Amino acid sequence: MIRCITSEKETLIASNCEVDRTKKLSKEKQLYCPNCQSTVIFKPGNIYRSHFAHFNSECVVTNYEPETTSHIKGKQILFEWLSKNYPDAVVQYEVYIPETKQIADVFVIHSGEGMEGVRWAFEFQHSPLSSKDWENRHELYQSVGIQDFWILDKAKYMRFSKAQGITDARNRKDLETAIYNESGLCYFLDLSTSELTIDFEFTTSYETRNVRGINRRNPYTYHSPIIHSFSLDQAMIRMNEEFMHGAFVFPELISRMEPRLSFIIRKLMRKKEEQEALELKEKAVEKKKFAEKEYGQEKTDVIWQFMKTNKEALTEDVRYLQPQTFFEKYHELIERLLLDIQELNIIKDSEDFTKKILASLIYESELYDLTLLNEQGALSLEEYVMAINQETVSLVTYVYETYKEELEKLASMHPKHIERELGKINYSLTPWESNPTAVDYALKYRRLETMEEADEYMKQIKDKIINYDPFADMKW
């Protein structure tokens, strides 16, 4: 490890501490791991870089990467770059994060204008790490709102195809592929030159070779452009203000990187939408459980349908209101809905012709609509439906009273024959009942606009169906 604390809670950095004083503190066992508080010893840089190591025990924090020279150097390069480029931020080595029980190689807490509270964890990866373990660690950081930057040791992780005659084709392994697919970019650091490589776009080409008499078509993956490595000093972290999400970029390649950066933002948007949908569902279920206690299961089924029908309109209240407050706000509408459902059943069971018209003009699913309930106000369901459909009720009543005899004749004829013949005139006048009555035929006229239109259709029905003589045009 690069960082330790003294018995006086002073932080020491191995690369720039006062060597003689630190040796003395180490000998007196006055140096401690900042995470597990156990004693550490100072190992000054003779052959290897200066660092601290646990004295005689393993740290209780288990996700330390082995402190090789490469790992120490990688952390130091990142620490120095971050300290230089973000002087307003708190930049620290090897910080234990209690929320995730992880140690970040370099941890950054921003305080500059527009970046207040943004947290970054930088991990320099030198030793082997499975894609599954990376996913677990990445998800832990994400779960607490910390953006994690994974910088791979280029000497260890960037590999190229060894196929004869093939140059620049990458041999990508699980870890870098997983990082690229999930985060949108993959970074490599050359420790000998402090050169950063940013993977952001790949292409695949195919080459056919004859192997023992068999043509084999092999894919080869290339980064486009081939040159995508520059000094770390030339890099910058570009921030998206909506998500406060950062990405390493090179000014020389920014135009080429734009499609990939846009892809990352779209992915963040989808993730945000999925998270919000999950949170909304949890809040809705919370209110459903509350309703079950307050109203019972039967009424809760109605309330749940009301909430689903008006999901968009109720979203903010479902998300932010407490259950008690939510049901206080919608109590009157819910009670009106419950009464409307009861009243609709009564209307449907009635033999009164006007009520039959009203029953044909509204479906139970419509009763759940928030707009309808608000418009209804203090009116009963029958009064409301009558008020908004007065002209339609008058039209159907006119048809039934004026043409009752004709409608009864239709009802007395074979339904399939009438269905076929009505379809030739206007299929919307065909009842869906298997054995329609005169009332059923009359109710279909609710789809028309005027009495004149109804008269015209009835004339055609009398001429072409009721009074039609198939032998009238035959010549003897």
Side-chain angles (χ1 to χ4, degrees), residues 16-278:
N16 61 12
C17 64
E18 186 181 333
V19 175
D20 291 339
R21 173 174 176 260
T22 306
K23 281 183 177 180
K24 183 174 183 296
L25 291 171
S26 179
K27 186 175 181 180
E28 296 172 352
K29 297 183 179 181
Q30 296 297 307
L31 303 179
Y32 302 95
C33 170
N35 303 304
C36 70
Q37 309 302 316
S38 60
T39 306
V40 296
I41 55 177
F42 177 53
K43 294 187 175 183
N46 295 320
I47 298 175
Y48 299 106
R49 284 179 175 266
S50 299
H51 64 282
F52 302 101
H54 284 78
F55 183 68
N56 58 5
S57 65
E58 291 295 326
C59 184
V60 294
V61 182
T62 59
N63 70 314
Y64 267 120
E65 182 172 343
E67 285 290 61
T68 62
T69 302
S70 294
H71 188 221
I72 293 170
K73 184 175 181 180
K75 289 192 292 187
Q76 184 173 345
I77 290 173
L78 293 171
F79 176 86
E80 291 172 355
W81 186 88
L82 288 162
S83 298
K84 175 183 176 182
N85 285 274
Y86 296 96
D88 293 335
V90 176
V91 182
Q92 293 180 294
Y93 282 117
E94 300 164 342
V95 175
Y96 177 64
I97 303 168
E99 300 153 278
T100 65
K101 296 182 173 59
Q102 292 172 284
I103 294 177
D105 285 341
V106 182
F107 193 59
V108 182
I109 302 177
H110 289 277
S111 59
E113 184 177 355
M115 294 280 285
E116 298 90 338
V118 173
R119 298 187 294 171
W120 289 343
F122 281 78
E123 299 282 4
F124 180 74
Q125 195 63 37
H126 171 79
S127 63
L129 180 68
S130 72
S131 58
K132 183 63 177 176
D133 285 343
W134 174 81
E135 288 171 3
N136 291 337
R137 292 169 65 177
H138 171 68
E139 288 173 3
L140 282 172
Y141 280 127
Q142 296 293 297
S143 69
V144 296
I146 297 173
Q147 183 179 352
D148 50 328
F149 294 79
W150 292 78
I151 318 297
L152 306 184
D153 187 342
K154 185 175 181 179
K156 277 281 188 178
Y157 281 97
M158 187 175 285
R159 294 287 181 260
F160 294 87
S161 172
K162 296 181 180 179
Q164 187 175 1
I166 299 297
T167 58
D168 297 318
R170 293 276 286 278
N171 184 9
R172 301 170 73 207
K173 300 300 183 183
D174 285 347
L175 178 61
E176 57 265 39
T177 300
I179 293 174
Y180 182 83
N181 290 341
E182 174 60 27
S183 66
L185 301 168
C186 191
Y187 309 118
F188 300 86
L189 182 62
D190 187 325
L191 298 181
S192 62
T193 63
S194 293
E195 187 178 70
L196 183 70
T197 301
I198 307 176
D199 279 355
F200 61 88
E201 189 63 51
F202 287 95
T203 60
T204 301
S205 65
Y206 295 86
E207 185 168 322
T208 302
R209 297 188 176 194
N210 189 284
V211 180
R212 297 178 183 177
I214 301 175
N215 286 331
R216 299 187 183 278
R217 189 167 181 258
N218 298 316
Y220 294 95
T221 301
Y222 298 84
H223 193 276
S224 177
I226 294 296
I227 304 301
H228 56 296
S229 302
F230 295 88
S231 168
L232 181 59
D233 287 337
Q234 295 176 259
M236 58 179 287
I237 295 181
R238 175 165 148 176
M239 293 296 295
N240 174 268
E241 293 183 0
E242 180 179 1
F243 296 99
M244 295 309 295
H245 183 87
F248 272 109
V249 297
F250 293 124
E252 295 88 341
L253 294 178
I254 192 68
S255 62
R256 299 288 296 270
M257 294 181 69
E258 287 293 355
R260 193 62 179 176
L261 297 174
S262 296
F263 165 80
I264 294 171
I265 299 307
R266 290 195 300 273
K267 188 170 184 177
L268 290 171
M269 180 64 75
R270 288 195 300 272
K271 186 174 182 179
K272 178 184 176 182
E273 290 171 351
E274 290 169 0
Q275 182 62 34
E276 288 179 346
L278 179 60

